[in-house]
Amino acid sequence: QVQLVESGGGLVQAGGSLRLSCAASGRTFSNYAMGWFRQAPGKEREFVAAINWSGYSTYYTNSVKGRFTISRDNAKNTVYLQMNSLKPEDTAVYYCARGQETYVSDPDRMQMRNQYGYWGQGTQVTVSS
């Protein structure tokens, strides 16, 4: 089975930065789109960022554009989320996920929660004001 393990969360002040990592198992990691989602208490899990199977294209929810950067290192089977200029409203549990199908680049599909078949356990990000 595919295993995803997030790390790098923590408590930071507004304006600070964090770098989340997601280590994934699987020999074919590089063939799948990867995404980051987040969920605050009582809220739906929402899309944050995604990177297509090749790493060529990235997509972000409007609220994080210009502040967050998703990247991947296929040699390490790892996807990253660099978060800068953090705001209190970024506080949530952040989850990484791997797409269910290979070679996906469609931006709409990569922003849909149900297109991801494997999820990590989540890492808490708390931004204080």
Side-chain angles (χ1 to χ4, degrees):
Q1 61 179 7
V2 175
Q3 184 177 13
L4 306 174
V5 180
E6 302 100 331
S7 62
L11 174 64
V12 297
Q13 292 184 316
S17 298
L18 284 174
R19 188 194 193 202
L20 306 183
S21 298
C22 176
S25 64
R27 182 176 61 85
T28 60
F29 167 84
S30 63
N31 294 336
Y32 293 89
M34 298 292 295
W36 286 96
F37 292 74
R38 65 187 180 187
Q39 187 169 20
K43 304 293 184 180
E44 293 286 333
R45 189 171 299 185
E46 66 171 347
F47 169 78
V48 177
I51 187 165
N52 83 317
W53 65 271
S54 68
Y56 184 82
S57 300
T58 58
Y59 303 94
Y60 303 91
T61 192
N62 287 337
S63 64
V64 308
K65 287 180 179 177
R67 300 189 297 121
F68 291 10
T69 302
I70 187 172
S71 62
R72 65 194 302 164
D73 186 338
N74 291 335
K76 297 181 179 179
N77 278 8
T78 302
V79 62
Y80 305 95
L81 185 67
Q82 178 67 45
M83 305 185 294
N84 299 325
S85 302
L86 284 162
K87 304 175 181 179
E89 51 262 44
D90 294 320
T91 296
V93 176
Y94 283 70
Y95 300 88
C96 68
R98 197 209 76 179
Q100 298 186 48
E101 300 178 8
T102 57
Y103 306 112
V104 172
S105 294
D106 181 78
D108 292 328
R109 289 186 62 188
M110 287 190 291
Q111 298 179 51
M112 297 177 63
R113 180 170 55 86
N114 62 8
Q115 295 300 303
Y116 294 87
Y118 300 93
W119 298 82
Q121 81 289 344
T123 185
Q124 177 70 48
V125 172
T126 303
V127 184
S128 62
S129 59

